[in-house]
Amino acid sequence: MSSTVRTAIVTGAARGIGAAVAKRLAADGMQVAVLDLDAASCADTVSAIEAAGGKALAVGANVADEASVAAAVEKVAEELGEPTVLINNAGITRDNLLFKMTVEDWDAVMSVHLRGAFLMSRATQKYMVDNKFGRIVNLSSTSAQGNRGQVNYSAAKAGMQGFTKTLAVELGKFGVTANAIAPGFIATEMTAATAERVGVPFEDYKAAAAQQIPVARVGEPDDIAHTASFLASEGAGFVSGQVIYVAGGPKD
Ligand SMILES: NC(=O)c1ccc[n+]([C@@H]2O[C@H](COP(=O)([O-])OP(=O)(O)OC[C@H]3O[C@@H](n4cnc5c(N)ncnc54)[C@H](O)[C@@H]3O)[C@@H](O)[C@H]2O)c1
């Protein structure tokens, strides 16, 4: 195994799954760019990494904005190192039934997940190709298989799977792998907000979800971080174009 220190970018890493992934990659020995909409919101994740002896950089950027992404990736390359690991994790939900869904809610979800992953991958791939090494991990979801009230989100998360497979096909010969993680129910502010929207206390919401999950519990951000750590590792170079469901069972 190589002892090269890799530089990773984790988008949406101020909290939730992204924060857990950022901390785990730092614990694995990577330098981590903690990217979220507002650099100040990344402070907790950066402090936790530094307190554990790791190296991290807070980066404020909107993944859906081309100029913002270009500036962010340049900053990471200059101030931390050439990014060769990318975790496309930033995400939003704008749930509604089809007949009530606005064009704005459709476009917002498509922009953050699909446009965001596209822009971030395009901006970082040159560093990966130059280094003959790259790991791209995209966050899909069990919602890719269809989920009531999430026509925008499920389309975006299914789109992430096709996007991932094409990245794997195009970039494989440069030492770059691309894989997707499709989480089931993970306890974060995203799922807490969903519980609030449907008017159920989060603890009850989680307990009800756990009853439908074969391992009889909901997921935690560290469950996803563990899988991302494997896919981003040096040794995972022959795993590419895969979608790994991390859902406590074969489906949500
Ligand atoms: N929580 C779950 O059950 C679950 C299940 C399946 C998939 N996912 C996916 O995992 C990822 C992380 O989810 P989470 O639960 O941690 O969500 P979260 O809402 O807790 O965190 C998402 C982060 O992304 C950031 N973000 C949003 N838009 C952004 C943008 N345009 N640019 C940069 N950052 C932006 C937010 O500020 C936030 O810090 C998302 O892609 C989500 O769709 C979550």
Side-chain angles (χ1 to χ4, degrees), residues 72-91:
V73 171
E74 203 169 308
K75 179 183 169 78
V76 173
E78 278 171 13
E79 296 180 25
L80 202 58
E82 296 194 350
T84 56
V85 175
L86 171 65
I87 315 294
N88 283 312
N89 166 82

Side-chain angles (χ1 to χ4, degrees), residues 12 14-17 35-37 61-63 89-92 112-113 139-141 153 157 183-186 188-191:
R15 68 185 203 196
I17 292 170
L35 186 152
D36 212 293
L37 280 169
N62 176 1
V63 297
N89 166 82
I92 59 169
V112 178
H113 297 273
L139 269 290
S140 178
S141 168
Y153 185 81
K157 291 308 199 185
F185 189 116
I186 309 296
T188 68
E189 289 185 46
M190 183 179 274
T191 39

Side-chain angles (χ1 to χ4, degrees), residues 1 64 75 102 109 111 129 134-135 161 175 181 183 191 200 215 227 230-231 233 245:
M1 291 286 153
K75 179 183 169 78
T102 65
V109 167
S111 285
V129 171
R135 299 281 183 266
Q161 298 189 7
I181 299 174
T191 39
V200 178
V215 302
T227 309
F230 163 67
L231 292 172
S233 68
Y245 281 82

Side-chain angles (χ1 to χ4, degrees), residues 11-246:
T11 70
R15 68 185 203 196
I17 292 170
V21 172
K23 289 182 226 172
R24 177 58 189 264
L25 296 185
D28 290 344
M30 294 181 196
Q31 315 185 118
V32 181
V34 177
L35 186 152
D36 212 293
L37 280 169
D38 171 18
S41 70
C42 301
D44 286 353
T45 309
V46 169
S47 307
I49 289 172
E50 289 173 346
K55 195 168 175 195
L57 176 71
V59 182
N62 176 1
V63 297
D65 182 88
E66 189 175 13
S68 179
V69 165
V73 171
E74 203 169 308
K75 179 183 169 78
V76 173
E78 278 171 13
E79 296 180 25
L80 202 58
E82 296 194 350
T84 56
V85 175
L86 171 65
I87 315 294
N88 283 312
N89 166 82
I92 59 169
T93 52
R94 295 285 184 274
D95 297 352
N96 227 327
L97 294 173
L98 174 64
F99 78 103
K100 288 194 281 192
M101 184 162 292
T102 65
V103 168
E104 289 73 24
D105 286 345
W106 175 269
D107 287 347
V109 167
M110 290 299 152
S111 285
V112 178
H113 297 273
L114 286 176
R115 195 169 203 262
F118 156 65
L119 290 172
M120 288 298 306
S121 302
R122 195 184 62 172
T124 51
Q125 59 83 31
K126 63 178 174 294
Y127 298 109
M128 301 187 193
V129 171
D130 286 353
N131 284 276
K132 298 185 176 57
F133 174 90
R135 299 281 183 266
I136 300 174
V137 178
N138 298 317
L139 269 290
S140 178
S141 168
T142 50
S143 294
Q145 297 174 348
N147 196 26
R148 186 178 172 80
Q150 292 198 314
V151 72
N152 50 358
Y153 185 81
S154 62
K157 291 308 199 185
M160 290 294 261
Q161 298 189 7
F163 175 70
T164 300
K165 290 174 190 182
T166 296
L167 290 182
V169 169
E170 291 188 9
L171 298 174
K173 67 178 173 214
F174 303 108
V176 180
T177 66
N179 292 284
I181 299 174
F185 189 116
I186 309 296
T188 68
E189 289 185 46
M190 183 179 274
T191 39
T194 305
E196 195 174 343
R197 192 171 49 77
V198 297
V200 178
F202 194 36
E203 288 308 313
D204 297 350
Y205 194 66
K206 286 191 287 186
Q211 284 185 351
Q212 307 300 318
I213 299 171
V215 302
R217 67 169 176 90
V218 298
E220 298 295 333
D222 281 344
D223 290 311
I224 306 306
H226 195 68
T227 309
S229 167
F230 163 67
L231 292 172
S233 68
E234 303 277 339
F238 207 53
V239 181
S240 198
Q242 301 304 302
V243 180
I244 302 188
Y245 281 82
V246 183

